[in-house]
Amino acid sequence: MLTVYNCIVHEHDLRLVALAALICGISSFSAVNLLHHVEQSTSRNRYAWLLIAATATGFGIWATHFVAMIAFTPGIPNAYNAELSALSLAASVVLTAAGMWIATIRGGIDHYLVGGAVLGVGIAVMHYTGMAAFEVQGSIVWNELLVALSLAAGVTLAALSLLVVLCRPSTLTTIAAAVLLTLAICTLHFIAMAAVSIYPDSSIEISKFTIAPMSQAFAAAAASLVILVLSAAALRIDLRFRRHQAEAQRMHGLANAAVEGLIVCDGSRIVSANDSIAALSGIAPGTLNVMTLSDLFGERVASAIAGGSGQAQEAELRSQDGTRIPVELIARSIDYCGKPHDVVAVRDMRERKKAEQEILRLAHFDPLTGLANRRSFTSRLEAEIATASGKDGQLALMLLDLDRFKEVNDLFGHAAGDAVLQRVAQCGSGVLRHGQMLARLGGDEFAIIAPNLPDPQAAGRIAEAVLSKLRQESQLSPGGELVSASIGIALFPLDADEQAALVSHADTALYRAKAEGKDTYRYFEASMGAETRDRRAMEHDLRQAVARGEFRLVYQPQKEISSGKMIGFEALIRWHHPERGNIPPSVFIPVAEDSGAIAQIGEWVLATACEEAVCWKTPLTIAVNVSAVQLHNPNFSRKVHEILLRSGLPAGRLELEVTETALIKDMPRALATLRQVKALGIRVAMDDFGTGYSSLSNLRAFPFDKIKIDGSFIKSVDRNGQVAAIVRAVLGLGRGLGLPVLAEGVETLDELRFLDAEDCEIGQGYYLGRPGPIETFSELTGVPAPAAMDAVEARGGRILMLEPAAARSA
């Protein structure tokens, strides 16, 4: 160290040494600052920044060396070789560029150290090449130990300089790196100069083509000027960069506050992207900043945005995992860092697309079953008819309607009804083949379109397969046995050649299937049209008949067989249609049950019978039939109670007649309803005993007060041994259970005598009394005929006589 110190103090002009150190410090600080720009720049301008940084640093190293050489005063003539001087400058620039390129090409300590070492080698090569250019009138001897020490110091300090500045960029590390690089240049130079010993030798001549020290001083001054210019430019660029960086950070912070993705572009090159677009695409913001719009959205979209249309447009964003995300793009021009840029707002369209698809699904598909809805059915049928026109083969339209579906909703609730509809959809879809369509038209109505059938019988096979699948499902599902289906089939072009007629004919066939027992299918026949129209007209008229006062009640006596004593009446309904005349109950009651009008009609019958009976002076009982729909209505007992309170009829005089068929559809609910009715004091009779099933268990489970033997068992009981045995068994069963037995349909004296001989308590039939208006029984009710007439008129009723053979309502 003393040798180096003596070299600097005694063999150099300290003023020029200070100037060399200043030049070295300025160039080092410029080099470190410019190195930041090299590292942060993109591939497009990285080499430009690398050239600027390498030139400033290389010139600084070269100028430091030769200014210090000019400060060196060996005391003998000296000069500089021009070629070697230029070569040393070139070596300095090239090796500096190589070191910086290695250090910034890829992150990592190893790259930083290797790049710094190459830079240190560049300093050494420049110095010793410059020393080779130094010619003196004497001989130069080198101290190899100091030479090695100079190389080690220069390379080590240069490597540390780049490691410090690139590992943790900051103002403090920038200053530290500049100091280390300055030390690397100065330490290598002065240790190397201390390693030189010059021995004067007058025999050695200096070449004529060398440069005088003064000329070399001008060259060093020019190099220093280049350094100052480049340093000033670097400082200006750095300040501008910092200002732009601050503006970019501020803009980026504002952009990150936006929910939508924002991309700032210079042309198609992305210069900034917020966190929202990074999260949407799954691509890191740093990666996005080196991509182009075409990388994210494709070339066509990138060109459209660059065209500056400013209109919103839909595109697909290519995410990190390769999926395509639907987005909406809106581009606007902004001033960004002093230059015009485009900002692109990227709006995620997935939820909107999902909502649009849901709206489309709701518009064309049934939300409950997932089947096509009426709109889709109509469009498909229209298209199939257009396709099938002029071609061979049959197009079948099948309308499917569930039997007794309303009862499922009434008995089990709408949730159970929805489950039934879903099971129907699954069963039907599982049977159909490709190209065939099952649609839900609404409620419990479904439709099947089956094109290209080879023959009409193929439609029947499809219908039977659907019904069979539904039967299997019903057996496995609780409550499912209550539901079956009926199917009507119409064929194109055999039955109709246009859509409306085809639908109408299939609907007509459906009504025939329901009328002929349900759980079956029927083809359309031309004769069905008039019947269907007639049935629909009757359904419509039934819904209006109560309001129009077209119904009336007739009463059939019920008497004790042994004494002939009158005990009560059964109320029977009659309908006089203003155009069709008298319509038998056997005709209109089934239609009322299928259409749901029976509930309103049954309530009217019960209320009218109670209001009539309360006027009788004789406290006879009044029996009223109750349909299954009424019995399973949760509000039935409450309505009966209200009618009794409104009419004033004592509950003990009312008897409700219930069939076994009404019971079995939902025994728990039926039992609960009958117990509620019984709690009011009302009597309950089992009607048509023997025609249903599970009769014995029903008698044991339900709180009946009377058994009514169906009239089919009484007919010819005196002449038919088998019928007589059945009647005797029922009478014995009644006596065993302590229940009175009423025999319906007593029409002859012999039948009456048989029943009397078998101790049957009560009888009802034409032989004991034909049904008639209540005023015809004034002597039994104790109410004069005019009074009875006034009571009926007060209720707006009508008295119309019927033939005795008119059937009784169920």
Side-chain angles (χ1 to χ4, degrees), residues 561 689-690 707-736 739-746 750-763:
I561 293 178
F689 183 80
I707 300 174
K708 296 185 68 175
I709 305 177
D710 187 70
S712 61
F713 293 102
I714 305 303
K715 187 177 181 61
S716 304
V717 69
D718 56 318
R719 301 188 304 273
N720 189 314
Q722 291 180 341
V723 172
I726 294 174
V727 172
R728 289 191 186 98
V730 175
L731 292 172
L733 180 63
R735 285 191 294 270
L739 297 177
V741 178
L742 184 151
E744 297 183 289
V746 181
D750 292 335
E751 292 171 355
L752 183 63
R753 288 173 177 170
F754 175 88
L755 294 171
D756 186 30
E758 297 296 333
D759 293 329
C760 181
E761 291 99 328
I762 309 169

Side-chain angles (χ1 to χ4, degrees), residues 504-520:
S504 177
H505 292 346
D507 195 37
T508 299
L510 172 62
Y511 271 93
R512 172 60 64 88
K514 283 184 168 294
E516 295 185 0
K518 304 180 177 62
D519 194 24
T520 186

Side-chain angles (χ1 to χ4, degrees), residues 107 120 155 209 232 333 335 433 529 545 633 656 741 760 764 810:
V155 170
F209 301 102
S333 295
D335 183 77
R433 298 179 180 177
N633 188 324
L656 300 180
V741 178
C760 181
Q764 177 182 340

Side-chain angles (χ1 to χ4, degrees), residues 154-476:
V155 170
T156 301
L157 290 172
L160 290 175
S161 172
L162 295 197
L163 178 64
V164 167
V165 73
L166 295 176
C167 265
R168 294 181 179 273
S170 66
T171 302
L172 184 61
T173 56
T174 299
I175 295 172
V179 171
L180 286 172
L181 185 58
T182 301
L183 289 175
I185 297 171
C186 293
T187 300
L188 186 146
H189 176 86
F190 288 108
I191 292 176
M193 291 302 295
V196 173
S197 297
I198 301 175
Y199 298 96
D201 186 351
S202 59
S203 63
I204 299 175
E205 294 183 358
I206 298 174
S207 174
K208 297 179 180 180
F209 301 102
T210 57
I211 302 174
M214 188 57 66
S215 299
Q216 191 73 357
F218 281 112
S224 300
L225 180 63
V226 170
I227 295 169
L228 290 174
V229 171
L230 289 177
S231 298
L235 180 61
R236 182 172 180 275
I237 290 172
D238 186 63
L239 292 174
R240 181 181 175 186
F241 173 76
R242 291 177 183 274
R243 186 173 66 252
H244 287 174
Q245 190 177 40
E247 182 180 354
Q249 288 176 350
R250 182 178 63 84
M251 292 287 289
H252 190 69
L254 292 174
N256 281 337
V259 177
E260 295 178 342
L262 292 176
I263 300 174
V264 179
C265 307
D266 183 7
S268 64
R269 184 175 62 86
I270 298 174
V271 298
S272 180
N274 70 348
D275 293 343
S276 295
I277 188 65
L280 180 62
S281 64
I283 303 173
T287 306
L288 284 171
N289 292 342
V290 297
M291 298 177 68
T292 63
L293 288 177
S294 58
D295 295 332
L296 292 178
F297 307 110
E299 191 64 38
R300 182 186 62 82
V301 175
S303 300
I305 293 175
S309 63
Q311 300 296 322
Q313 58 181 309
E314 293 187 7
E316 287 186 338
L317 171 66
R318 300 170 184 169
S319 65
Q320 179 71 28
D321 58 5
T323 59
R324 295 180 178 270
I325 302 172
V327 294
E328 183 181 56
L329 305 180
I330 302 177
R332 294 287 187 274
S333 295
I334 63 167
D335 183 77
Y336 182 79
C337 297
K339 289 179 58 181
H341 286 71
D342 291 323
V343 60
V344 182
V346 183
R347 182 175 300 161
D348 188 355
M349 296 276 287
R350 286 177 293 188
E351 288 300 323
R352 194 170 92 179
K353 290 291 184 182
K354 184 179 179 180
E356 290 175 354
Q357 291 175 356
E358 181 64 14
I359 292 172
L360 184 65
R361 187 184 69 82
L362 292 175
H364 294 88
F365 293 91
D366 174 51
L368 176 64
T369 61
L371 299 176
N373 61 10
R374 185 180 290 273
R375 175 183 293 182
S376 297
F377 160 77
T378 302
S379 301
R380 174 69 179 275
L381 182 59
E382 182 179 359
E384 292 292 351
I385 289 175
T387 303
S389 299
K391 293 184 178 181
D392 296 333
Q394 300 285 330
L395 168 64
L397 170 62
M398 289 170 264
L399 295 185
L400 182 150
D401 188 86
L402 301 184
D403 306 323
R404 299 180 296 276
F405 178 71
K406 185 178 184 300
E407 298 177 23
V408 174
N409 281 332
D410 292 340
L411 296 177
F412 302 106
H414 289 283
D418 290 346
V420 169
L421 293 174
Q422 290 171 340
R423 291 201 302 269
V424 170
Q426 293 170 1
C427 292
S429 300
V431 169
L432 300 184
R433 298 179 180 177
H434 177 71
Q436 298 172 347
M437 175 185 186
L438 175 64
R440 183 188 177 203
L441 305 184
D444 61 335
E445 301 176 23
F446 295 82
I448 297 174
I449 301 175
N452 303 318
L453 298 181
D455 52 64
Q457 290 72 29
R461 291 192 290 270
I462 295 174
E464 182 57 40
V466 172
L467 294 177
S468 177
K469 186 69 174 178
L470 289 177
R471 294 185 196 110
Q472 295 175 13
E473 181 67 21
S474 294
Q475 293 173 359
L476 299 175

